Amino acid sequence: MQLTLWTYEGPPHVGAMRIATAMTDVHYVLHAPQGDTYADLLFTMIERLPRRPPVTYTTFQARDLGGDTAQLFKDAVAASYERFQPAAMLVGSSCTAELIQDDPGGLAAALQLPIPVVPLELPAYQRKENWGASETFYQLARRLVVPKAAAADDSPRKPRCNILGPTALGFRHRDDVREITRLLNDMGVEVAVVAPLNASVQDVRQLAQADFNVVLYPEIASTTAQWLQRQFQMPFTKTVPMGVGATRAFVAEVAALAGVEVPAQLEEHLHAEWYARSVDSTYLTGKRVYLFGDATHVVAAARIAHDEMGFEVVGLGTYSREFARELREAGKLYGVEPLITDDYLQVEEQIRALQPELILGTQMERHIAKRLGLPCAVISAPVHVQDFPARYAPQMGFEGANVLFDTWVHPLMMGLEEHLLGMFREDFEFHEGAAPSHLGSTRPAASLQIAAEEAAPAATLATTAEASTPAAVTSTQWSSEAEKELGKIPFFVRGKARRNTERFALEQGVATITVETLYDAKAHFSR
Amino acid sequence: MQPVIPINKSTQGCSNSPVLSEKGQREVFCGLTGIIWLHRKIQDAFFLVVGSRTCAHLVQSAAGVMIFAEPRFGTAIIDERDLAGLSDANDELDRVVSELLARRPDIKLLFLVGSCPSEVIKLDLSRAAERLSRTYVQRARVLNYSGSGIETTFTQGEDACLASLLPTLPQRQSPNRQLLIVGTLADVVEDQLGALLHKMGIDDFDFFPPRRSSKLPAVGANSVYLLAQPFLSDTARGLDALGLQRLDAPFPLGEEGTTAWLQAAATAFGVDAARFAEVTAAPRQRAQATLARHRAKLAGKKVFFFPDSQLEIPLARFLHRELDMDLVEVGTPYLHRQLMAAELALLPEGTRLSEGQSLELQLDRCHADQPDLVVCGLGLANPLEAQGFTTKWSIELVFTPIQGYEQAGDLAALFSRPLLRKQKIAA
């Protein structure tokens, strides 16, 4: 048993859900107890999908266990086929169903559905989410991909590749695909199939018809890409195009695989490289950075931090055990020993010990950073809803490089701001403890409280003088019980409640605000 | 001001109505989710789920942004080695608990929370809890309950947790009558309801669960209890077995519900009618005034409830009687007729009640009914919005203070806001 407070990855069947949800005509029947449907809301809330994930759960309960859970499963498969008419189905067990040992594959096969039904063996007590996604994609490909057809005519055509790896609930997968597709098109390479994101079963069947594969996310796609190489002699790209240097290396790799020239105009919208050279960025030199996340993003980000931003990499780590080797190699480049763990407390301990000036990590590291008062940017899943942004925000390609520069530098003090801090060291607004004005979490306690009570961005500018005014100008008094009751109102609306109550008391000519007045006012203003 | 709202908007209500009972896919949380609000209430308790990575992931997903410096819940994740042999699993659990208690010297009450995997492999957590209670006798009390999906739905996790606490309640010898208010309420709601009881002259009352495990209320033969939440059937059975008498009342949602709920206490303690009216007059009037504003927006609108928390029936009663909404379907994961008797009597006759769920069929009915407002979980809310429905996500009703007079307007606002929003951004 392992004591876990927070976990970086979900169970492997969530990985399978990410594949099914990414695709357009696949349905997944999951043998699972009541409650496992919680995973739906990762997709509908965090990724804000406007549709339900294509997953049917058997949702067995205790009373079903004595009976025939196998029949329950068969019924669910039959009913799902009937209702959703998918082009292929995935069937499998969640952790609990794994223990009751019904055989989803065998049971589904007995139904003899007229579509491919792919059984998934996802060992829930050994493996995790990314492995589950990788295995699911691989099993689908193995079952569906048809051999390369002989060319119908030998008229010259553009070189053709697939993009492999993007899924549902992937960190910036949507925009990475758009960015890399554009980059490939600009190079004169056609994108045949993107999979699994927005791919149909028919698309997956066609994977072997392209000339080579672009692997964007090795955690998800390298097993499948390696199989396609063995089976159909399709080469695949090894460089993940994240950062300026890596994108250039990727372009060279693709150019060699596709046999095309690198066009001159590829980099016309790249700004990050110049920005990093501009004098304002001098202050970034040697900033001590700590990196944690999935292996792909950490390895790529470390290279950018070191080679393109001029940071010092003081530590790096990953929760992707399957990619420990890649991370050890990266660690050697920067002379640090990588941390391979899925225990966020160990990560916190290391960050505390190293005291970096910038943390690049996941949602968990963002919270660790907040507690330690350190600047932080998110570079990897798991992420929260704010990291599935509405705006275009790739991490890959040249636009991705621009996005990364802005995202990483934003939480740090910009050069000019740091210069001012040095000049006005003793000034009340620029004392040593002052954090950047956009770094809300580390504001001094007094102004933080004011800001929270006002719940308005402008309040961050409040000075102590402003803070002491509101109570003084009114002629009403707060009774101690009312004051106490006010304290029970959540801090972010407390300021509004106080103002409304005082206004109400003044209008009504109430001299002493009691608990009754407080609620009278609340009733008066509630809409 | 209007006296008591007449009980007979309809004649018999739904007391004897047939209930559509369905089996099939259920889009609901398991009882582990109760940990999210229970651990906020009992401040020196730790909830250790014994389960799989799925359980850890669920609790984490439900806890959302509540990442604490040191959360008071965690998961002992069962791995392959534990599945190999049961004795081993017990040793492992002892090791994890000792690790945990060493880390958290402030923990006085530890719940071992059973999950689907721990129940399917028949790991006996009640014996483990006994064993660990003996080991840590001076240090912390160790209890167990099941929050598994195979046994419990969402709020039933709180029921199981409270029921597990019952045997630890101290004996009470006092000859005076005592009132026990059962079910987790927000602190602010507890304080308001407590203040009203004091004003009526009822001073001997306790809330259960308490805010600290050292403050467990004593109960005895003179205790009566009032449920503040509808999902506490096992806890109620346990209290009955201890000889406590249950006061029958609707739940304290809305002006009417709160009045009737307080009235049950007042009657049991012989508070005279004049006193009751005097104490409740002002807050009732306030609640009615705020509700009137929402009624203008909600009256005549059709509402459809998907099953979630067992709060659906009291909420439907409130929406219908105090805000004039029309009830299309009221789904509940589990219907306890006795505990819900007072509520059912207040529902309009002929309301379509459903218990359990067959998700796809229920969605078909929802599409056919075309309700103006759908109350449902987060897995369904955005997909239904995308199809043109207006939804109110139900889990908020469990986390937000909604009980009592002063919250009646807030409760109504939770339902009117999505409709108002649709109106505003459509323009």
Side-chain angles (χ1 to χ4, degrees):
Chain A
M1 269 179 211
Q2 184 202 352
L3 176 61
T4 313
L5 302 173
W6 299 105
T7 150
Y8 284 97
E9 287 185 78
H13 73 256
V14 169
M17 285 181 71
R18 289 176 55 188
I19 304 298
T21 307
M23 292 182 64
T24 57
D25 52 3
V26 169
H27 198 88
Y28 183 19
V29 179
L30 183 62
H31 205 14
Q34 166 175 262
D36 278 6
T37 53
Y38 83 89
D40 282 356
L41 64 89
L42 303 172
F43 298 91
T44 61
M45 295 306 294
I46 296 179
E47 197 174 2
R48 285 187 228 250
L49 282 191
R51 58 182 189 278
R52 289 165 53 212
V55 182
T56 295
Y57 305 80
T58 54
T59 53
F60 55 83
Q61 292 174 270
R63 61 168 185 254
D64 302 317
L65 287 179
D68 198 351
T69 49
Q71 188 59 42
L72 197 66
F73 182 79
K74 279 166 80 171
D75 292 346
V77 173
S80 302
Y81 173 71
E82 203 54 43
R83 179 172 283 264
F84 299 105
Q85 298 283 312
M89 271 175 123
L90 301 169
V91 295
S93 294
S94 80
C95 52
T96 305
E98 192 181 328
L99 298 172
I100 62 175
Q101 297 184 332
D102 291 330
D103 169 22
L107 292 168
L111 293 170
Q112 296 191 310
L113 297 177
I115 53 163
V117 177
V118 180
L120 298 174
E121 296 284 346
L122 305 176
Y125 298 91
Q126 277 173 289
R127 305 291 193 162
K128 293 180 283 188
E129 179 178 331
N130 279 337
W131 187 89
S134 170
E135 174 69 10
T136 303
F137 186 38
Y138 170 61
Q139 292 299 342
L140 260 174
R142 278 197 65 146
R143 178 64 184 268
L144 295 172
V145 173
V146 295
K148 193 180 179 92
D153 65 302
D154 13 306
S155 56
R157 59 164 180 84
K158 284 184 174 178
R160 212 178 273 162
C161 72
N162 302 313
I163 294 181
L164 302 184
T167 64
L169 217 59
F171 176 61
R172 307 296 167 88
H173 287 194
R174 178 195 69 191
D175 295 346
D176 284 347
V177 167
R178 187 172 138 197
E179 186 64 22
I180 296 306
T181 301
R182 193 169 64 186
L183 183 71
L184 291 165
N185 289 342
D186 288 352
M187 292 178 69
V189 176
E190 231 174 64
V191 174
V193 172
V194 177
L197 190 62
N198 298 321
S200 65
V201 166
Q202 185 56 27
D203 289 336
V204 174
R205 278 188 217 284
Q206 301 300 315
L207 279 180
Q209 312 305 314
D211 303 318
F212 64 98
N213 288 312
V214 166
V215 172
L216 286 195
Y217 309 101
E219 274 89 345
I220 314 282
S222 58
T223 307
T224 306
Q226 283 164 16
W227 176 77
L228 287 167
Q229 183 175 41
R230 283 198 306 273
Q231 209 67 19
F232 304 105
Q233 292 74 50
M234 295 178 80
F236 63 92
T237 57
K238 312 291 193 300
T239 314
V240 175
M242 220 173 104
V244 180
T247 303
R248 284 183 186 140
F250 171 82
V251 166
E253 202 183 352
V254 168
L257 286 175
V260 295
E261 292 287 310
V262 177
Q265 295 303 304
L266 277 186
E267 301 186 12
E268 63 180 334
H269 298 295
L270 171 65
H271 309 296
E273 193 175 40
W274 159 243
Y275 270 41
R277 276 167 45 208
S278 83
V279 292
D280 193 62
S281 297
T282 311
Y283 291 83
L284 301 176
T285 313
K287 288 264 186 209
R288 305 174 70 252
V289 59
Y290 182 87
L291 304 104
F292 196 88
D294 69 34
T296 298
H297 284 85
V298 166
V299 170
R303 175 174 176 181
I304 300 167
H306 187 268
D307 296 355
E308 297 170 24
M309 303 290 278
F311 294 152
E312 183 193 349
V313 175
V314 295
L316 47 77
T318 185
Y319 56 80
S320 319
R321 283 184 189 280
E322 295 87 349
F323 288 77
R325 187 156 35 104
E326 282 80 348
L327 214 76
R328 291 211 180 86
E329 276 162 26
K332 279 182 210 149
L333 294 175
Y334 315 111
V336 296
E337 185 59 38
L339 178 67
I340 316 289
T341 185
D342 54 5
D343 180 354
Y344 89 109
L345 293 170
Q346 260 182 289
V347 179
E348 174 161 352
E349 202 176 308
Q350 192 172 53
I351 290 175
R352 214 184 275 275
L354 290 170
Q355 284 295 318
E357 291 163 277
L358 176 67
I359 300 169
L360 300 174
T362 74
Q363 183 64 19
M364 279 71 169
E365 284 69 45
R366 206 166 65 80
H367 285 275
I368 293 171
K370 197 152 74 176
R371 274 202 295 284
L372 300 177
L374 295 171
C376 176
V378 170
I379 58 163
S380 160
V383 295
H384 252 309
V385 61
Q386 71 269 30
D387 277 303
F388 284 91
R391 70 176 186 283
Y392 185 55
Q395 304 284 289
M396 294 186 179
F398 294 117
E399 184 58 26
N402 295 337
V403 169
L404 291 176
F405 181 89
D406 289 348
T407 311
W408 296 8
V409 170
H410 182 87
L412 290 169
M413 275 184 248
M414 294 295 282
L416 184 60
E417 196 170 332
E418 190 157 323
H419 180 65
L420 287 172
L421 277 189
M423 257 175 73
F424 304 112
R425 193 171 295 281
E426 303 307 320
D427 190 289
F428 75 102
E429 280 173 318
F430 291 101
H431 62 88
E432 262 183 302
S437 52
H438 50 265
L439 237 196
S441 59
T442 48
R443 250 178 278 133
S447 74
L448 182 67
Q449 194 185 347
I450 298 159
E453 286 197 8
E454 299 295 321
T460 53
L461 298 172
T463 63
T464 35
E466 283 171 44
S468 58
T469 42
V473 293
T474 67
S475 63
T476 55
Q477 297 271 323
W478 284 76
S479 72
S480 62
E481 294 107 304
E483 192 79 57
K484 247 169 88 183
E485 194 76 6
L486 185 69
K488 294 171 192 165
I489 296 171
F491 68 91
F492 48 85
V493 288
R494 203 179 298 148
K496 186 177 159 201
R498 179 188 285 278
R499 281 196 306 279
N500 280 350
T501 309
E502 286 169 357
R503 197 168 105 207
F504 178 79
L506 275 180
E507 283 169 9
Q508 305 285 316
V510 177
T512 306
I513 295 171
T514 62
V515 177
E516 290 285 306
T517 326
L518 178 65
Y519 285 117
D520 282 335
K522 185 182 179 199
H524 179 79
F525 286 110
S526 87
R527 272 166 291 116
Chain B
M1 139 197 170
Q2 192 187 1
V4 180
I5 293 178
I7 295 282
N8 49 358
K9 242 187 183 174
S10 63
T11 45
Q12 303 180 354
C14 283
S15 302
N16 301 310
S17 302
V19 175
L20 179 63
S21 186
E22 286 189 310
K23 274 193 72 174
Q25 179 178 335
R26 294 168 69 120
E27 184 90 11
V28 287
F29 283 121
C30 65
L32 293 181
T33 328
I35 291 171
I36 307 300
W37 65 88
L38 281 166
H39 90 281
R40 301 302 300 153
K41 188 79 209 175
I42 315 177
Q43 294 160 12
D44 54 358
F46 192 100
F47 294 77
L48 180 65
V49 178
V50 182
S52 63
R53 181 168 300 280
T54 311
C55 307
H57 198 231
L58 161 99
V59 175
Q60 170 171 329
S61 305
V65 294
M66 289 202 287
I67 296 209
F68 306 104
E70 285 283 352
R72 280 185 293 104
F73 51 81
T75 309
I77 295 187
I78 297 170
D79 55 34
E80 276 190 310
R81 287 168 302 145
D82 304 307
L83 295 177
L86 286 184
S87 59
D88 199 5
N90 280 312
D91 293 346
E92 283 288 288
L93 183 59
D94 291 2
R95 181 182 56 77
V96 166
V97 167
S98 89
E99 213 174 282
L100 176 68
L101 289 177
R103 241 191 111 77
R104 301 298 304 268
D106 52 320
I107 297 305
K108 297 282 177 277
L109 176 59
L110 174 66
F111 287 103
L112 303 179
V113 188
S115 66
C116 302
S118 76
E119 277 171 30
V120 169
I121 64 169
K122 307 236 182 287
L123 187 56
D124 192 340
L125 291 182
S126 71
R127 281 183 57 187
E130 277 173 34
R131 182 177 71 238
L132 288 162
S133 274
R134 284 195 300 274
T135 311
Y136 297 101
V137 66
Q138 297 299 328
R139 166 72 180 75
R141 187 178 291 159
V142 184
L143 297 174
N144 100 287
Y145 71 89
S146 167
S148 72
I150 57 177
E151 296 279 355
T152 58
T153 305
F154 194 28
T155 48
Q156 281 179 313
E158 172 171 337
D159 189 24
C161 173
L162 298 191
S164 79
L165 272 168
L166 293 182
T168 70
L169 296 187
Q171 281 283 323
R172 178 187 154 96
Q173 306 298 344
S174 162
N176 298 329
R177 197 154 227 222
Q178 171 223 14
L179 175 64
L180 191 68
I181 296 162
V182 185
T184 299
L185 293 169
D187 289 358
V188 63
V189 174
E190 280 187 2
D191 293 348
Q192 288 167 6
L193 294 174
L196 289 168
L197 291 172
H198 278 303
K199 282 187 193 166
M200 287 178 210
I202 304 174
D203 293 316
D204 205 350
F205 62 84
D206 293 291
F207 289 96
F208 178 66
R211 295 180 197 184
R212 298 197 71 82
S213 67
S214 53
K215 297 269 163 47
L216 282 172
V219 296
N222 287 321
S223 305
V224 296
Y225 73 96
L226 194 50
L227 294 181
Q229 298 283 9
F231 42 74
L232 298 173
S233 55
D234 284 354
T235 308
R237 195 174 325 128
L239 288 165
D240 294 343
L242 289 174
L244 277 76
Q245 185 206 333
R246 183 172 67 86
L247 303 180
D248 197 22
F251 295 93
L253 297 171
E255 185 273 322
E256 181 189 27
T258 306
T259 305
W261 187 84
L262 285 167
Q263 182 67 64
T267 307
F269 282 77
V271 176
D272 69 55
R275 181 83 174 271
F276 183 80
E278 186 193 315
V279 171
T280 54
R284 283 185 67 188
Q285 202 163 30
R286 273 202 296 270
Q288 283 168 3
T290 60
L291 289 175
R293 277 170 234 152
H294 293 284
R295 194 176 303 125
K297 293 170 207 152
L298 292 173
K301 295 274 198 294
K302 294 189 289 183
V303 60
F304 189 111
F305 282 88
F306 278 80
D308 189 52
S309 63
Q310 297 184 50
L311 280 161
E312 295 82 7
I313 288 173
L315 287 169
R317 178 263 300 162
F318 164 70
L319 292 180
H320 174 66
R321 292 177 61 90
E322 302 192 44
L323 297 163
D324 292 337
M325 291 188 81
D326 292 337
L327 309 177
V328 179
E329 173 164 336
V330 183
T332 178
Y334 178 66
L335 177 59
H336 193 292
R337 284 218 173 252
Q338 260 171 312
L339 298 187
M340 214 52 90
E343 292 286 353
L344 288 173
L346 294 173
L347 278 188
E349 209 174 330
T351 303
R352 191 205 300 155
L353 299 175
S354 66
E355 181 186 18
Q357 188 174 33
S358 179
L359 178 62
E360 304 298 344
L361 298 180
Q362 195 166 29
L363 282 166
D364 288 347
R365 291 199 297 277
C366 182
H367 277 273
D369 292 334
Q370 287 293 309
D372 299 297
L373 186 66
V374 182
V375 184
C376 61
L378 289 173
L380 297 176
N382 271 336
L384 285 171
E385 289 279 348
Q387 293 171 348
F389 290 97
T390 304
T391 63
K392 167 67 226 142
W393 45 283
S394 52
I395 191 170
E396 194 178 9
L397 296 159
V398 179
F399 291 116
T400 314
I402 56 171
Q403 293 83 2
Y405 291 123
E406 314 304 348
Q407 281 65 240
D410 302 344
L411 177 56
L414 289 180
F415 295 96
S416 65
R417 195 171 297 126
L419 290 163
L420 180 67
R421 177 166 183 78
K422 186 141 285 186
Q423 221 174 48
K424 284 195 174 218
I425 61 178

